[in-house]
Amino acid sequence: MTQYFTEERSAEAVNGCMGETTDPRIREVMACLVKHLHAFAKEINLTQAEWQVGIDFLTKTGQICSGERQEFILLSDTLGFSMLVDAINNRRPPGATENTVFGPFHVDGAPIRSMGDTISLDGKGESCLYQGRVIDLDGRPVEGARIDVWSDNADGFYDVQQPEFQPKWNNRGIFATGADGSYSFIGIKPVSYPIPDDGPVGQMLNRLGRHPYRPAHMHYLVTAAGFQKLVTHTFVGDDPYLGSDTVFGVKTSLIAPFEPATNGRTQWQSTFDFVLTPG
Amino acid sequence: MTQYFTEERSAEAVNGCMGETTDPRIREVMACLVKHLHAFAKEINLTQAEWQVGIDFLTKTGQICSGERQEFILLSDTLGFSMLVDAINNRRPPGATENTVFGPFHVDGAPIRSMGDTISLDGKGESCLYQGRVIDLDGRPVEGARIDVWSDNADGFYDVQQPEFQPKWNNRGIFATGADGSYSFIGIKPVSYPIPDDGPVGQMLNRLGRHPYRPAHMHYLVTAAGFQKLVTHTFVGDDPYLGSDTVFGVKTSLIAPFEPATNGRTQWQSTFDFVLTPG
């Protein structure tokens, strides 16, 4: 006799429907997703009205997405799901610099600059010298590492968010290390900013009693032949949102010193070494 | 010292962020959702590439939604989530007619018809007399029950899917029971049909090796003062898709007899009693 869907074996009924030639990984991922989605509804006794709220929320989240806005990534970020996937896929040995979320504001093709150059082009903000070395787990310098950096400006916006107000490539640049693995560039001391909160995700955060802010940070994408790609930030240690980053990107090891400068050129300086993992 | 997000305590980190004044039910539902979503990613070791497939899928699913199309409901239906929520919220005592999914094709305000009237207006299909009684758990007739019925036509489409080809209110009608609780109307023997499968959900079903068909069924929404609302179907027992309804709506108790008619008016007849639950 055919076994029809029942509340008790709901996930089994759904997962039992998959074809025999279905890709094994797709089968495994979907079966696991269905199992957990059903367990969620059962554990919480989800009501029809709550289900409708969920349908409406997902629909609005999809409909606000555009070429410039990805609200589902924002949702994944604010539910800690992006950080979790990042963590699962970037487990590192002790001593290696840790990953954090990539974020939506990286742009390929930033200008290649010389060590010591300034990336801040709009004359705003408090200047900061960023310096340190790219090294391996044994402390040896990594030559030819490519360091792609980006941050918001002093008003809390990335250049791509304000194409009419900021110079193109403001607070962006790519640097390559020499034989000693060292790097240096001048940017601004970044500022904390809210993620876009005028859509469904902002409404969700509001209903959850959460703020939309990210603590101030400088983004880094560091790549070098023979090493794992490093996607990370350094965080300004005295930021009031450090303990409540709305996308959960902060790790203790990524909080960098931002100190009054002694170099005569900038107001602040921040020294941080990037330790790459063999890959 | 602040506890930052870690892979191990990822859900706790996210759920610990909620405000103290957050509505208790919202807090409970969201905490449970986050817990299960994170458990899913961990159990399956979700890759970054798979995460991206998920983001793209949800985005496309939202963007195909319109006033006439609700792809997220279709997703919920095809993952058995709609049936599960229906089951959780409509547990019935033994002997009561069971619920099943409402579906997207009900329209408010169908014509009120007299017992015995015909709801099929396009002259297509094999005619069928539907008859039976609306009764309570003790078998007593329910007077004044409102029976709202709807089905596809012989081509497998509801009138609202073909506003230019089908008469308005084709295969729809509302009937009210008298003192004996009995009902009767003439429709067609419904046919199986695919759910809309030209969007992301159709692609998903294809990747899972699943077909998009629903077995033939007649929809019922039965309401009466003092009783729980009954949303259900009756299914044609010899349908080839009965064991693999793509939205998992079939229950053994809802498979109705569809027999060659002995009434001299129609080709088929189907007798089914609706047993209402006090509410």
Side-chain angles (χ1 to χ4, degrees), chain A residues 18 23-33, chain B residues 40 44:
Chain A
M18 285 192 268
D23 174 85
R25 178 64 181 170
I26 291 178
R27 172 189 294 274
E28 179 182 46
V29 171
M30 286 301 294
C32 188
L33 178 62
Chain B
F40 155 66
I44 209 69

Side-chain angles (χ1 to χ4, degrees), chain B residues 92-115:
Chain B
R92 299 257 161 79
T97 301
E98 296 186 276
N99 243 50
T100 189
V101 281
F102 192 48
F105 296 122
H106 180 262
V107 180
D108 279 330
I112 295 172
R113 305 191 192 277
S114 300
M115 288 301 176

Side-chain angles (χ1 to χ4, degrees), chain A residues 7 25 35 43 50 91, chain B residues 7 25 43 50 91:
Chain A
E7 184 179 339
R25 178 64 181 170
K35 182 182 78 173
E43 181 175 335
E50 290 164 348
R91 298 181 186 120
Chain B
E7 184 178 339
R25 178 63 180 170
E43 181 175 336
E50 289 162 350
R91 297 183 185 119

Side-chain angles (χ1 to χ4, degrees), chain A residues 218-235:
Chain A
M218 175 64 71
H219 285 271
Y220 293 90
L221 166 58
V222 185
T223 50
F227 295 93
Q228 292 178 18
K229 180 169 76 173
L230 173 63
V231 175
T232 198
H233 314 343
T234 59
F235 290 92

Side-chain angles (χ1 to χ4, degrees), chain A residues 73-142:
Chain A
I73 292 187
L74 214 56
L75 178 61
S76 171
D77 291 352
T78 52
L79 296 183
F81 198 78
S82 304
M83 268 303 283
L84 176 59
V85 173
D86 186 79
I88 288 169
N89 288 279
N90 296 287
R91 298 181 186 120
R92 298 260 161 78
T97 300
E98 295 185 277
N99 242 51
T100 189
V101 280
F102 192 48
F105 296 122
H106 180 262
V107 181
D108 279 329
I112 295 172
R113 305 191 193 275
S114 300
M115 287 302 175
D117 275 2
T118 296
I119 60 170
S120 172
L121 308 178
D122 63 356
K124 292 182 175 180
E126 301 177 13
S127 61
C128 180
L129 174 66
Y130 293 83
Q131 59 189 0
R133 292 194 308 155
V134 181
I135 54 179
D136 68 14
L137 284 167
D138 297 321
R140 290 176 299 218
V142 176

Side-chain angles (χ1 to χ4, degrees), chain B residues 219-268:
Chain B
H219 285 271
Y220 293 89
L221 166 58
V222 184
T223 51
F227 294 93
Q228 292 178 18
K229 180 170 77 173
L230 173 64
V231 174
T232 199
H233 314 342
T234 58
F235 290 91
V236 181
D238 63 353
D239 193 283
Y241 299 108
L242 211 58
S244 63
D245 182 356
T246 200
V247 309
F248 306 98
V250 180
K251 294 179 176 177
T252 307
S253 68
L254 300 177
I255 300 171
F258 277 75
E259 298 161 333
T262 55
N263 57 54
R265 298 168 61 203
T266 60
Q267 294 164 270
W268 300 89

Side-chain angles (χ1 to χ4, degrees), chain A residues 7 19 22 25-26 35-36 38 43-44 46 50-51 59 62-63 65 70 76 79 89 91 207-208, chain B residues 7 19 22 25-26 35-36 38 43-44 46 50-51 59 62-63 65 70 76 79 89 91 207-208:
Chain A
E7 184 179 339
T22 304
R25 178 64 181 170
I26 291 178
K35 182 182 78 173
H36 282 289
H38 284 220
E43 181 175 335
I44 208 71
L46 196 72
E50 290 164 348
W51 173 86
T59 305
Q63 300 207 316
C65 289
Q70 226 311 345
S76 171
L79 296 183
N89 288 279
R91 298 181 186 120
R207 293 294 290 274
L208 295 178
Chain B
E7 184 178 339
T22 303
R25 178 63 180 170
I26 291 178
K35 181 182 78 173
H36 282 289
H38 284 219
E43 181 175 336
I44 209 69
L46 196 71
E50 289 162 350
W51 173 85
T59 305
Q63 300 208 316
C65 289
Q70 227 310 346
S76 171
L79 295 183
N89 288 279
R91 297 183 185 119
R207 293 294 290 273
L208 295 178

